[in-house]
Amino acid sequence: MPAPMAEAPLSVALGRTKRTEALFDGSVADPALPLDLPAIPVISRAFAPMVREGRHEVSEMAIATFLMAKEAGAPLVLLPCVLAARFQESALLCRADGPVGGPADLSGKRIGVRAYSQTTGMWLRGMLQARFGLAADAMRWITFEDAHVPTYRDPPWSERAPAGATLEAMLEAGAIDAAIFGNDMPQNPAFRPVFADAEAAGAAFLAAHGFVPVNHLLVARADVARDRAPALGALLGLLARAGAAVSTRAALGPALALAARHCAEQGLTARALSPAEIWAGTPPGIG
């Protein structure tokens, strides 16, 4: 009998991390499902093209971006695979000699963040509200770029940084009182965490909610979910073998529900999306 025909290559935009390296180096592979893995040095740069034009068949995507895109009607579906998750508290920095002694001091302060829609910012704003009673509009948010969802407009309690300014330079100069960094954490002795014991704060979040905050998940275009569902299932199998956290809808439910609530509270979405809306279009049998 002739060998079964291989699938057409599946275009997948992934950050190259310890969770995905085995797919890039070929040590985890399936001859029946070739993968097209473009080199994307900063994976967040893949999010806007995926939302706006569906550039890839499958893509890593920040959870806040996905929820905003889903509400806006982007033809994307969620796949139950966590590609990045971490405690967020250590990403919020202030000047070591500045006026911020701790999170409660942030009321009325200017906080810099790459984009108001950045997922790390979403989680941290949620923590500030839950633990310290600081709603998003209790602070002034200084941003540097637009959201990945093109129709979104930042809320009135935010403003754009001056042209040419950088997050680190503004914090060091005192033009902002605190700043949220992502993976690009500065090694600057002039800065310290706003949370004096970020590790303990992360442990408290885990005890309260039962999960580590999720940053990046996996999404597919709706047409791919409809027409190539078996290939998506095979891709999830490869990712699990590579070390990614392939999960289930039920297991991801608490993280997605809290993220959806935070997005609504902070003006990222008009309302909190329901689980049915979040998982709409995900193929049966996946997750």
Side-chain angles (χ1 to χ4, degrees):
M1 292 180 61
M5 294 183 62
E7 289 264 4
L10 191 67
S11 170
V12 185
L14 293 173
R16 192 162 185 166
T17 69
K18 63 181 181 180
R19 298 185 185 216
T20 62
E21 177 60 30
L23 299 186
F24 285 92
D25 68 21
S27 58
V28 169
D30 180 352
L33 181 64
L35 300 179
D36 174 14
L37 296 166
I40 304 174
V42 180
I43 191 57
S44 62
R45 300 305 177 196
F47 301 165
M50 187 66 179
V51 170
R52 299 177 185 206
E53 61 190 72
R55 182 172 296 179
H56 305 281
E57 291 177 289
V58 182
S59 179
E60 185 169 338
M61 185 167 287
I63 188 171
T65 295
F66 169 75
L67 291 169
M68 295 168 68
K70 194 74 171 180
E71 184 194 44
L76 299 174
V77 302
L78 186 61
L79 302 175
C81 179
V82 177
L83 291 162
R86 64 171 181 262
F87 295 115
Q88 310 291 329
E89 290 87 351
S90 62
L92 179 60
L93 302 182
C94 61
R95 296 189 314 285
D97 62 352
V100 176
D105 296 331
L106 292 175
S107 180
K109 297 296 193 294
R110 293 163 60 85
I111 304 177
V113 63
R114 176 180 56 79
Y116 184 78
S117 59
Q118 184 181 10
T119 289
T120 297
M122 177 271 290
W123 283 122
L124 282 166
R125 284 190 297 267
M127 294 168 193
L128 291 173
Q129 178 161 350
R131 300 185 202 175
F132 302 97
L134 296 175
D137 60 1
M139 295 148 281
R140 191 72 181 170
W141 297 90
I142 312 305
T143 68
F144 293 77
E145 59 184 65
D146 291 334
H148 300 125
V149 177
T151 55
Y152 180 75
R153 297 295 177 265
D154 289 347
W157 52 86
S158 70
E159 65 184 76
R160 190 55 52 92
T166 67
L167 195 58
E168 185 171 350
M170 287 188 73
L171 181 58
E172 191 164 23
I176 52 178
D177 301 293
I180 294 172
F181 294 87
N183 293 324
D184 52 345
M185 289 292 291
Q187 302 302 311
N188 190 328
F191 304 154
R192 61 171 172 79
V194 170
F195 288 85
D197 191 338
E199 185 174 342
F205 181 96
L206 180 61
H209 299 287
F211 62 86
V212 176
V214 174
N215 283 67
H216 294 180
L217 293 160
L218 195 67
V219 305
R221 291 198 321 247
D223 64 307
V224 177
R226 182 189 66 237
D227 299 336
R228 302 193 66 183
L232 296 181
L235 173 64
L236 290 174
L238 291 174
L239 283 163
R241 287 168 53 196
V246 175
S247 187
T248 65
R249 302 183 199 204
L252 287 172
L256 289 167
L258 186 56
R261 193 180 87 202
H262 286 339
C263 283
E265 291 169 344
Q266 298 168 25
L268 294 171
T269 57
R271 58 183 179 78
L273 271 66
S274 69
E277 291 170 312
I278 290 169
W279 292 107
T282 302
I286 290 184

